[in-house]
């Protein structure tokens, strides 16, 4: 049986939801992503009540089903409540060793890192993958800081063995270079959620990413 952790080996396009940017709504975005072949979805919601988040998370979990990994951003309580596949947490969220103790060995924990030292620390502390952020300047996350540059992906690749997901300012024009510089997968939020045809955009991203990955392997 292929587990959700096994699926982490083939991340390519990674959807992060954002209800403030979405044109069609988060559930529609998730449906479009999974139908387009996206295999990992992170529910990132900053403005809803816990009750509404749990209700929405259950619907996202149902859409992801066996086809996509379903993670919850920050909210370990919500992830546990709906039995999500795991969480994505940041440097200022719950420490990863405590999150691991609460969630158990089988759940996926992704951690945002900004440097090689944070990436090494993340792997040592049991992260299943790192989100390297922000590659380029972005207006989607107010406190993301300045872009660290595409070359940093290779630096991080050279010091860890877990997958690297690149995030921040990524679009269809620069995504090939992001993969060529060592990312195993990537997130693009505004580039897909602000488009009129989310399915079409994600399919195009997936084609570019898989082509780039095929050329590397
Ligand atoms: N974390 C780091 S950068 C970022 C998040 C959630 C926002 C990325 O959004 P975009 O629109 O793809 O630049
Ligand atoms: Mg966070």
């Amino acid at each position: 049986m292929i587990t959700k952790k096994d699926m982490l080996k083939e991340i390519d396009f990674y959807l992060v939801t954002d209800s403030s940017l979405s044109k069609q709504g988060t559930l529609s975005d998730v449906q479009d992503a999974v139908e387009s072949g996206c295999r990992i979805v992170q529910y990132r919601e900053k403005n809803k009540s816990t009750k509404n988040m749990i209700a929405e998370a259950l619907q996202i979990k149902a859409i992801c089903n066996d086809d996509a990994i379903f993670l919850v951003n920050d909210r370990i309580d919500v992830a546990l409540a709906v039995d999500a596949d795991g969480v994505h947490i940041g440097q200022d969220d719950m420490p990863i060793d405590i999150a691991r103790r609460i969630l158990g060995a089988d759940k996926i924990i992704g951690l945002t890192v900004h440097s090689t030292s944070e990436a090494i620390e993340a792997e040592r502390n049991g992260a299943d993958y790192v989100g390297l952020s922000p590659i380029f300047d972005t207006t989607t996350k107010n406190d993301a800081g300045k872009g660290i540059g595409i070359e940093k992906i290779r630096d991080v690749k050279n010091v860890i063995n877990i997958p690297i997901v690149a995030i921040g300012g990524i679009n269809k024009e620069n995504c090939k270079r992001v993969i060529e510089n060592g990312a195993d997968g990537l997130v693009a939020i505004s580039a897909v959620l602000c488009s009129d045809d989310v399915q079409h955009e994600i399919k195009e991203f997936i084609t570019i990413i898989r082509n780039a990955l095929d050329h590397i392997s």
Side-chain angles (χ1 to χ4, degrees), residues 21 44 133-134 138 140-141 144 167-170 187-191:
L21 280 181
R44 182 170 182 270
S133 154
T138 176
T140 303
K141 188 175 193 284
I167 184 168
I170 298 173
V187 174
I189 302 182
S190 49

mmCIF file of all heavy atoms in Angstrom, residues 21 44 133-134 138 140-141 144 167-170 187-191, ligand 1:
data_model
loop_
_atom_site.group_PDB
_atom_site.id
_atom_site.type_symbol
_atom_site.label_atom_id
_atom_site.label_comp_id
_atom_site.label_asym_id
_atom_site.label_seq_id
_atom_site.Cartn_x
_atom_site.Cartn_y
_atom_site.Cartn_z
ATOM 1 N N LEU A 21 -7.327 35.475 -1.196
ATOM 2 C CA LEU A 21 -6.918 35.683 -2.589
ATOM 3 C C LEU A 21 -7.807 34.947 -3.578
ATOM 4 O O LEU A 21 -7.879 35.307 -4.747
ATOM 5 C CB LEU A 21 -5.483 35.178 -2.799
ATOM 6 C CG LEU A 21 -4.328 36.061 -2.363
ATOM 7 C CD1 LEU A 21 -3.012 35.359 -2.682
ATOM 8 C CD2 LEU A 21 -4.385 37.407 -3.054
ATOM 9 N N ARG A 44 -4.594 26.539 4.547
ATOM 10 C CA ARG A 44 -4.009 27.665 5.292
ATOM 11 C C ARG A 44 -5.092 28.719 5.415
ATOM 12 O O ARG A 44 -5.464 29.359 4.437
ATOM 13 C CB ARG A 44 -2.793 28.207 4.551
ATOM 14 C CG ARG A 44 -2.079 29.346 5.250
ATOM 15 C CD ARG A 44 -0.757 29.638 4.542
ATOM 16 N NE ARG A 44 -0.015 30.692 5.206
ATOM 17 C CZ ARG A 44 -0.130 31.990 4.910
ATOM 18 N NH1 ARG A 44 -0.956 32.374 3.968
ATOM 19 N NH2 ARG A 44 0.589 32.881 5.557
ATOM 20 N N SER A 133 11.669 29.354 2.214
ATOM 21 C CA SER A 133 10.855 30.564 2.021
ATOM 22 C C SER A 133 11.569 31.843 2.414
ATOM 23 O O SER A 133 12.330 31.829 3.373
ATOM 24 C CB SER A 133 9.604 30.391 2.883
ATOM 25 O OG SER A 133 9.046 31.616 3.277
ATOM 26 N N PRO A 134 11.225 32.976 1.742
ATOM 27 C CA PRO A 134 10.629 33.065 0.416
ATOM 28 C C PRO A 134 11.737 33.093 -0.636
ATOM 29 O O PRO A 134 12.743 33.768 -0.445
ATOM 30 C CB PRO A 134 9.895 34.409 0.467
ATOM 31 C CG PRO A 134 10.750 35.261 1.361
ATOM 32 C CD PRO A 134 11.424 34.327 2.333
ATOM 33 N N THR A 138 7.557 38.535 -2.220
ATOM 34 C CA THR A 138 6.135 38.243 -2.421
ATOM 35 C C THR A 138 5.290 39.217 -1.615
ATOM 36 O O THR A 138 5.709 39.657 -0.530
ATOM 37 C CB THR A 138 5.794 36.794 -2.004
ATOM 38 O OG1 THR A 138 4.380 36.595 -2.140
ATOM 39 C CG2 THR A 138 6.199 36.492 -0.566
ATOM 40 N N THR A 140 2.113 38.230 -0.988
ATOM 41 C CA THR A 140 1.044 37.360 -0.472
ATOM 42 C C THR A 140 1.150 37.174 1.042
ATOM 43 O O THR A 140 0.142 37.028 1.729
ATOM 44 C CB THR A 140 1.073 35.996 -1.194
ATOM 45 O OG1 THR A 140 0.948 36.233 -2.599
ATOM 46 C CG2 THR A 140 -0.039 35.088 -0.736
ATOM 47 N N LYS A 141 2.390 37.152 1.560
ATOM 48 C CA LYS A 141 2.574 36.994 3.009
ATOM 49 C C LYS A 141 3.316 38.221 3.525
ATOM 50 O O LYS A 141 4.477 38.447 3.153
ATOM 51 C CB LYS A 141 3.378 35.711 3.299
ATOM 52 C CG LYS A 141 3.480 35.343 4.769
ATOM 53 C CD LYS A 141 4.182 33.987 4.919
ATOM 54 C CE LYS A 141 4.050 33.417 6.314
ATOM 55 N NZ LYS A 141 4.920 34.077 7.284
ATOM 56 N N ALA A 144 6.830 37.812 5.199
ATOM 57 C CA ALA A 144 7.703 36.784 4.599
ATOM 58 C C ALA A 144 9.162 37.225 4.530
ATOM 59 O O ALA A 144 10.068 36.402 4.508
ATOM 60 C CB ALA A 144 7.200 36.413 3.207
ATOM 61 N N ILE A 167 8.874 28.136 -1.950
ATOM 62 C CA ILE A 167 7.675 28.989 -1.870
ATOM 63 C C ILE A 167 8.073 30.453 -1.870
ATOM 64 O O ILE A 167 9.132 30.810 -1.336
ATOM 65 C CB ILE A 167 6.828 28.640 -0.612
ATOM 66 C CG1 ILE A 167 5.535 29.465 -0.570
ATOM 67 C CG2 ILE A 167 7.629 28.800 0.676
ATOM 68 C CD1 ILE A 167 4.521 28.990 0.448
ATOM 69 N N GLY A 168 7.202 31.278 -2.434
ATOM 70 C CA GLY A 168 7.381 32.718 -2.384
ATOM 71 C C GLY A 168 7.714 33.328 -3.727
ATOM 72 O O GLY A 168 8.828 33.143 -4.224
ATOM 73 N N GLY A 169 6.735 34.009 -4.334
ATOM 74 C CA GLY A 169 6.973 34.736 -5.570
ATOM 75 C C GLY A 169 7.184 33.859 -6.794
ATOM 76 O O GLY A 169 7.742 34.310 -7.792
ATOM 77 N N ILE A 170 6.733 32.618 -6.722
ATOM 78 C CA ILE A 170 6.972 31.691 -7.845
ATOM 79 C C ILE A 170 5.824 31.792 -8.850
ATOM 80 O O ILE A 170 4.655 31.844 -8.470
ATOM 81 C CB ILE A 170 7.164 30.254 -7.317
ATOM 82 C CG1 ILE A 170 8.409 30.206 -6.416
ATOM 83 C CG2 ILE A 170 7.293 29.265 -8.479
ATOM 84 C CD1 ILE A 170 8.624 28.899 -5.692
ATOM 85 N N VAL A 187 5.387 25.719 -4.355
ATOM 86 C CA VAL A 187 4.081 26.325 -4.098
ATOM 87 C C VAL A 187 4.000 27.610 -4.910
ATOM 88 O O VAL A 187 4.969 28.370 -4.949
ATOM 89 C CB VAL A 187 3.938 26.691 -2.599
ATOM 90 C CG1 VAL A 187 2.637 27.465 -2.360
ATOM 91 C CG2 VAL A 187 4.018 25.456 -1.720
ATOM 92 N N ALA A 188 2.856 27.840 -5.539
ATOM 93 C CA ALA A 188 2.586 29.147 -6.130
ATOM 94 C C ALA A 188 1.163 29.489 -5.714
ATOM 95 O O ALA A 188 0.231 28.770 -6.079
ATOM 96 C CB ALA A 188 2.718 29.094 -7.643
ATOM 97 N N ILE A 189 1.001 30.541 -4.922
ATOM 98 C CA ILE A 189 -0.345 30.865 -4.427
ATOM 99 C C ILE A 189 -1.022 31.870 -5.350
ATOM 100 O O ILE A 189 -1.966 31.536 -6.062
ATOM 101 C CB ILE A 189 -0.305 31.385 -2.965
ATOM 102 C CG1 ILE A 189 0.340 30.343 -2.034
ATOM 103 C CG2 ILE A 189 -1.733 31.698 -2.496
ATOM 104 C CD1 ILE A 189 0.386 30.742 -0.563
ATOM 105 N N SER A 190 -0.539 33.117 -5.369
ATOM 106 C CA SER A 190 -1.242 34.138 -6.164
ATOM 107 C C SER A 190 -1.264 33.771 -7.646
ATOM 108 O O SER A 190 -2.257 34.029 -8.333
ATOM 109 C CB SER A 190 -0.609 35.513 -5.951
ATOM 110 O OG SER A 190 0.784 35.458 -6.105
ATOM 111 N N ALA A 191 -0.197 33.147 -8.131
ATOM 112 C CA ALA A 191 -0.129 32.812 -9.562
ATOM 113 C C ALA A 191 -1.251 31.878 -9.982
ATOM 114 O O ALA A 191 -1.677 31.905 -11.134
ATOM 115 C CB ALA A 191 1.227 32.188 -9.894
HETATM 116 N N1 LIG B 1 4.946 31.463 3.028
HETATM 117 C C1 LIG B 1 6.077 31.971 2.596
HETATM 118 S S1 LIG B 1 5.902 32.945 1.244
HETATM 119 C C2 LIG B 1 4.221 32.659 1.228
HETATM 120 C C3 LIG B 1 3.888 31.831 2.281
HETATM 121 C C4 LIG B 1 2.538 31.375 2.624
HETATM 122 C C5 LIG B 1 3.320 33.264 0.226
HETATM 123 C C6 LIG B 1 3.575 32.750 -1.164
HETATM 124 O O1 LIG B 1 2.604 33.270 -2.041
HETATM 125 P P1 LIG B 1 2.914 33.604 -3.557
HETATM 126 O O2 LIG B 1 1.677 34.330 -4.033
HETATM 127 O O3 LIG B 1 3.080 32.309 -4.271
HETATM 128 O O4 LIG B 1 4.132 34.475 -3.599
#
